[in-house]
Amino acid sequence: GAVVSQHPSRVICKSGTSVKIECRSLDFQATTMFWYRQFPKQSLMLMATSNEGSKATYEQGVEKDKFLINHASLTLSTLTVTSAHPEDSSFYICSARGGSWNTEAFFGQGTRLTVV
Amino acid sequence: SQELEQSPQSLIVQEGKNLTINCTSSKTLYGLYWYKQKYGEGLIFLMMLQKGGEEKSHEKITAKLDEKKQQSSLHITASQPSHAGIYLCGADININSGYALNFGKGTSLLVTP
C-alpha cells in the first residue's frame, strides 16, 4: 500500500516552545490529510482536516492558534504545536487520502510528544 | 454524530483459538474500515467494507458487514501472537470540508502462548 511518513517519531520539548511535526505522502498525492490525537488506551480523536492550498478545518474544541496546520503541497502537511504545555503531551498521528471518502486512508507512524 | 461502539474493549485469548470483535454504528454505514494498531505506532489498514452482507478475508482475518450496514464483525481464526494489538473500526463522517474517518474506542487483543 501507499506510504505516509511522519517525522519525528519522538520529541521532547520544554514548556513554552513550539514543535513541528511533518507528514509526507511518499508515493501518492494526498488531496486531504488528517491529524489525530490519541491519549493512552483511547481511540483516535480527529483534530483537523487539511486540503492542499487551503486553510485547515478544525474540529470543535481544538484550538487553531495552538495547533497550526499547513498543507503546503499535495505531499506535505505540518502540524505545529505552539507554546507547548505538559497537557499537550500526547501521541499525534496523521493520515492521508488520495481520493474522496470510501477510499483507504494511509497513516503515518505517529509522533510521541512529551512536553517537560 | 455517528458513534461507533466496539466490543469487547479487551480480549485475551490463547494461541490457536478463534475470536470475534464487533463494531456497531448508531447510523447506517457507507463505508466501514478495520485497522490494526500496535501501541505507540501508526495504523495498518486491514479491510474496507461497503456493501450490506459483504465479507472479506485476508489470511486468517475475516470481516463482515451486516445487511443493514450498521454492524460489522472481525473474526480471527487460529490466533497467533502476531495478531496482538489494538483493532479499530472506523467509518467516514461528514465534516465541513468533506469526509474524515471516525473511530471506535478500539479492542485490545492479547494472544498468549
Side-chain angles (χ1 to χ4, degrees), chain A residues 8-106:
Chain A
S9 58
R10 290 179 179 271
V11 59
I12 301 173
C13 71
K14 292 183 178 180
S15 278
T17 61
S18 295
V19 173
K20 180 184 285 188
I21 303 169
E22 289 189 351
C23 181
R24 293 180 184 273
S25 57
L26 298 185
D27 49 4
F28 69 103
Q29 292 187 327
T31 52
T32 309
M33 286 187 169
F34 307 93
W35 288 95
Y36 293 85
R37 182 173 179 176
Q38 187 176 33
F39 293 99
K41 298 186 178 181
Q42 293 189 28
S43 189
L44 281 72
M45 181 190 76
L46 180 66
M47 297 175 67
T49 305
S50 71
N51 295 293
E52 184 264 339
S54 60
K55 289 184 179 180
T57 302
Y58 290 81
E59 295 303 298
Q60 193 173 9
V62 178
E63 299 175 61
K64 61 181 180 181
D65 295 330
K66 174 76 171 173
F67 300 99
L68 299 178
I69 292 172
N70 184 284
H71 195 153
S73 72
L74 284 170
T75 59
L76 174 64
S77 177
T78 60
L79 167 68
T80 302
V81 182
T82 62
S83 186
H85 288 98
E87 57 265 30
D88 298 325
S89 299
S90 192
F91 191 62
Y92 295 88
I93 308 180
C94 69
S95 76
R97 265 175 158 160
S100 62
W101 69 291
N102 266 3
T103 58
E104 181 180 345
F106 300 96

Side-chain angles (χ1 to χ4, degrees), chain A residues 1-4 25 27-34 36 94-108, chain B residues 30-36 43-50 56 90 92 99-101 103:
Chain A
V3 177
V4 172
S25 57
D27 49 4
F28 69 103
Q29 292 187 327
T31 52
T32 309
M33 286 187 169
F34 307 93
Y36 293 85
C94 69
S95 76
R97 265 175 158 160
S100 62
W101 69 291
N102 266 3
T103 58
E104 181 180 345
F106 300 96
F107 284 79
Chain B
Y30 293 99
L32 188 285
Y33 305 77
W34 284 100
Y35 283 85
K36 179 185 175 184
L43 275 65
I44 300 169
F45 175 77
L46 296 176
M47 276 170 276
M48 180 177 77
L49 304 167
Q50 290 182 265
K56 289 186 177 179
D92 277 304
Y99 290 87
L101 274 178
F103 289 93

Side-chain angles (χ1 to χ4, degrees), chain B residues 97-109:
Chain B
S97 57
Y99 290 87
L101 274 178
N102 188 36
F103 289 93
K105 292 186 177 180
T107 296
S108 177
L109 172 62

